Amino acid sequence: MAHASSYQPTSSFGQWLDARLPVGRVMHDQFMTFPTPRNLNYWWTFGGILTFMLAVQIATGVVLAMHYVPTPEGAFDSVETIMRDVNWGWLLRYSHAVGGSMFFLAAYIHTFRGLYYGSYKAPREVLWILGVLILLLMIATAFMGYSLVWGQMSFWAVTVITNLFSSLDAVIPGLGTKLVQWIWGGFAVGAPTLNRLFSLHYLFPFLIAGVVVLHIWALHVPGNNNPTGIDVKGPRDTVPFHPYYTIKDGFALLMFVLLFAVLLFYAPNLLGHSDNYIPANPLQTPPHIVPEWYFLPFYAVLRAIPNKLMGVIALISSIAILFFVPWLDTSKVRSTRYRPIYKWFFWVFVVTAIVLGYLGSQPPEGWYLIFGRIFTAYYFLFFLVVMPVVGLLEKPAKLPGSITESVLGPDEPLPLSVPKARQREQVL
Amino acid sequence: MTLRRSALAGLAIAALLVAIGATATLHAADEAPATPPAHNHDEPVIESQSWSFNGPFGTFDRAQLQRGYRVYHDVCSTCHSMRLLSYRNLGETGGPEFPKDAVEALAAQAEMTDGPNDKGEMFKRPGRPSDRFRQPFPNPETARVANNGALPPDLSVMAKAREGGPDYIHALLTGYRDPPAGFKPAPGMHYNKAFPGHQIAMPPLLSDGVVTYTDGTKPTVDNYARDVAAYLMWTAEPKLEERHKLGLRVMVFLIAFAVIMYLAKRAVWARMHGHAAPTA
């Protein structure tokens, strides 16, 4: 949000640097005095939590990579060496593994928050698109990271997922097969595959970090959305980011880390699959190949479609459709709080995502498959039909006059003059 | 305000629920069913056992791990390797904690192949604490030939590689029965009620008294199974005690920090009065 800079470097070095590279000014303006809606609830703390989780994953991952051996013979054992013989190796490895789950948990909450409060609507479309891009990069990174353990689930997940590309054979015969062999670096998942997965798994987090910078930049142009979804109308509607939101985000982060620590120290393998403690064996397929929990809804979508190519298209569409949400939703009102009809469809969608997650963990047969198809249908109908149609038909509830009014009610008379010391020059 | 409160409450409850859930999962093993569930020959039956390492404060029972090692050494190690472990691990903190000289003696019992020496020949020597556990077979092919075509899996992380972990291992080792009427295991296979499909290549090698216990524990199949399962949990998760210990400290720190942060947050947000723009 454009606002006048109040940065005044005191030291002569600070003034010298400010005239050449104003990093101090940017930090001060964007993370200290940045005008932030005063009514952000705890669902808004997940952006900070996600930044923290990215840092945790990069920090632990860099150290793990110092001890990891990306070869089919060495991978599984090097992970066990980290667990047994590297100082604090067990802590690093479990932090990284559980951290991946926590990262996705926060990312999904963050995404659903954006969906609920209409944070994707003008003027935040680019912000939203960058967020979806981050989600895509996260999915790729997590998939590649999981493969590095080189247990049975790792190996067969790589085999199943890379084989999806072979469905392109249905379009141009031979294209899919060639593509899959190019990805593998051979005629089966093997040493070249593992080596490139490791290389890319190290690269992608830094791409994510780059897009996160753009994401925050795109956030700081229009400023935060807020639970009412109405625009900031004056300085009374905002508080400086520091200390109000640093402290609030800090508290929420601690609660989140507490949950992280419970899993990390007391149930580090709860979210993992026991088969991944069996070293990869290309000659033995596990009875049920299932991905990590955070991919299960997409896996259910993939398996709900009887045709392989169509299944892959559905899988990709289930994420790619998020890119178009800013234009699929036709409602003028941002926040679902004021959308009496859409609200119901939204919560059914949340339930759908969770149920698809459960169905993804079950074998695709009988009722599981039937329900998988029903919920997959709703998943897409929500975006393609509910969002455009409900937005046009629905009569939204009355919006509050301002953010401040939504917090304090309209009763209190407006103060005649804001004390001079409290005045803030804000261009809105 | 109310929404913020309820969101906070929601977050707190979520954290609490997961904490309870995780603890309950770990504690579930303590609540062994009073009556064994009805036996169904199609579904393997894995009964939960009470383990000293369960729960957030769980630790290994040293004597049990030492007995478990004895069972592994005397029985299992004839066919099953444990390639991720070294003899030195037997003396390390948080494990069976054999005394130093006992570790050296246990290592020396194993005849290791080393070399080549300066004549280019392999030679035999007694094991050292730094050696990995001696492997029963030089390669998987030899193992298969000796075991009717079946490959005895490595046991290093077995307790984490099977659904049910130590409960499963205990159930498997005590699960040998005569096949029910109409069930004919394939030649060389054995009926086991805990094994998926109920046909296992491993013969029942445990029987009361096959391993000598010197600490007064009854030398029964059930005790052997229990002790070796606990031992395998340690080999799979050798830092479990360290993890629980550090976890407790981290929990105390985080909870204290969270309380302070919450109070600080309240104090800062109390500066917001009325409709006026707040100050930093």
Side-chain angles (χ1 to χ4, degrees), chain B residues 153-177:
Chain B
D154 185 88
L155 294 182
S156 310
V157 287
M158 187 52 79
K160 291 197 287 188
R162 294 291 183 277
E163 199 89 29
D167 291 330
Y168 167 77
I169 293 166
H170 175 268
L172 184 84
L173 294 177
T174 55
Y176 287 97
R177 296 284 184 280

Side-chain angles (χ1 to χ4, degrees), chain B:
Chain B
M1 261 335 213
T2 41
L3 192 81
R4 192 151 59 220
R5 285 257 168 75
S6 50
L8 164 68
L11 195 72
I13 291 167
L16 203 69
L17 282 180
V18 174
I20 292 166
T23 322
T25 319
L26 294 159
H27 268 302
D30 290 337
E31 297 153 16
T35 47
H39 191 185
N40 178 343
H41 286 295
D42 297 317
E43 280 296 309
V45 183
I46 312 295
E47 281 170 36
S48 292
Q49 306 295 323
S50 164
W51 302 105
S52 66
F53 47 79
N54 277 343
F57 304 104
T59 54
F60 288 113
D61 174 347
R62 312 271 164 250
Q64 184 175 44
L65 294 192
Q66 295 191 2
R67 292 194 302 271
Y69 172 71
R70 190 166 289 276
V71 176
Y72 166 73
H73 176 268
D74 291 3
V75 184
C76 318
S77 74
T78 345
C79 300
H80 290 280
S81 63
M82 198 161 244
R83 61 195 175 82
L84 297 173
L85 272 94
S86 303
Y87 292 104
R88 65 179 165 82
N89 297 135
L90 296 171
E92 285 169 1
T93 332
E97 297 186 6
F98 280 107
K100 193 169 174 287
D101 47 346
V103 172
E104 283 168 5
L106 291 172
Q109 283 174 12
E111 191 187 51
M112 309 300 287
T113 307
D114 203 347
N117 60 14
D118 51 10
K119 294 191 186 73
E121 291 158 357
M122 302 303 277
F123 60 92
K124 304 278 189 193
R125 61 159 176 80
R128 291 189 287 254
S130 60
D131 283 324
R132 292 288 176 109
F133 279 13
R134 196 183 72 87
Q135 302 205 9
F137 302 105
N139 53 57
E141 286 72 17
T142 324
R144 281 191 193 277
V145 168
N147 287 285
N148 196 19
L151 178 67
D154 185 88
L155 294 182
S156 310
V157 287
M158 187 52 79
K160 291 197 287 188
R162 294 291 183 277
E163 199 89 29
D167 291 330
Y168 167 77
I169 293 166
H170 175 268
L172 184 84
L173 294 177
T174 55
Y176 287 97
R177 296 284 184 280
D178 290 329
F183 189 102
K184 274 222 166 71
M189 302 296 270
H190 308 269
Y191 182 82
N192 189 305
K193 65 172 182 166
F195 194 70
H198 301 298
Q199 291 195 64
I200 186 167
M202 178 168 76
L205 288 167
L206 292 178
S207 58
D208 293 355
V210 287
V211 182
T212 314
Y213 275 170
T214 52
D215 64 353
T217 308
K218 279 213 174 94
T220 60
V221 170
D222 187 69
N223 278 339
Y224 294 153
R226 201 175 295 278
D227 293 347
V228 83
Y231 166 76
L232 290 178
M233 185 62 194
W234 167 71
T235 63
E237 199 63 20
K239 308 289 177 175
L240 179 140
E241 287 189 17
E242 194 182 338
R243 176 156 60 75
H244 285 178
K245 218 180 278 177
L246 182 64
L248 180 64
R249 291 176 195 169
V250 170
M251 286 300 143
V252 170
F253 170 78
L254 284 176
I255 291 168
F257 194 6
V259 169
I260 294 168
M261 268 311 250
Y262 179 66
L263 295 175
K265 188 252 157 198
R266 286 266 300 248
V268 166
W269 280 82
R271 292 182 206 168
M272 298 258 292
H273 293 299
H275 285 240
T279 52

Side-chain angles (χ1 to χ4, degrees), chain A residues 66-82:
Chain A
M66 294 175 191
H67 302 279
Y68 175 74
V69 181
T71 63
E73 300 76 30
F76 187 90
D77 285 8
S78 72
V79 172
E80 280 302 320
T81 301
I82 290 168

Side-chain angles (χ1 to χ4, degrees), chain A residues 99-273:
Chain A
S101 282
M102 298 304 289
F103 202 165
F104 270 97
L105 175 67
Y108 287 149
I109 294 173
H110 192 66
T111 311
F112 276 115
R113 191 270 290 155
L115 271 182
Y116 184 84
Y117 292 110
S119 301
Y120 46 83
K121 291 187 192 181
R124 297 186 182 83
E125 302 95 323
V126 173
L127 171 61
W128 171 263
I129 287 170
L130 289 168
V132 179
L133 191 60
I134 293 170
L135 182 63
L136 267 179
L137 287 170
M138 274 176 68
I139 289 170
T141 311
F143 166 72
M144 293 188 292
Y146 188 66
S147 73
L148 301 184
V149 182
W150 215 242
Q152 273 290 68
M153 263 322 154
S154 298
F155 181 88
W156 289 98
V158 175
T159 306
V160 169
I161 299 300
T162 51
N163 254 317
L164 292 180
F165 289 98
S166 69
S167 62
L168 287 171
D169 279 345
V171 184
I172 300 170
L175 173 69
T177 310
K178 272 272 172 278
L179 187 61
V180 172
Q181 287 173 1
W182 177 72
I183 291 167
W184 286 341
F187 299 101
V189 175
T193 326
L194 176 57
N195 223 321
R196 64 194 53 183
L197 288 171
F198 177 55
S199 168
L200 295 175
H201 181 67
Y202 205 115
L203 170 69
F204 273 42
F206 297 96
L207 298 182
I208 294 177
V211 184
V212 166
V213 170
L214 296 180
H215 189 66
I216 295 171
W217 187 0
L219 166 70
H220 280 231
V221 175
N224 296 76
N225 183 29
N226 67 83
T228 64
I230 55 179
D231 287 328
V232 168
K233 297 209 166 97
R236 296 184 305 116
D237 287 343
T238 66
V239 291
F241 187 76
H242 179 75
Y244 290 95
Y245 285 109
T246 43
I247 198 97
K248 189 169 181 169
D249 283 359
F251 171 64
L253 175 63
L254 270 173
M255 296 303 289
F256 189 80
V257 171
L258 199 60
L259 172 64
F260 183 6
V262 167
L263 287 171
L264 167 57
F265 289 106
Y266 301 122
N269 293 306
L270 183 69
L271 300 170
H273 197 292

Side-chain angles (χ1 to χ4, degrees), chain A residues 331-342:
Chain A
S331 175
K332 296 270 188 293
V333 173
R334 289 201 190 101
S335 177
T336 305
R337 201 188 262 187
Y338 306 104
R339 301 185 58 186
I341 299 171
Y342 177 76

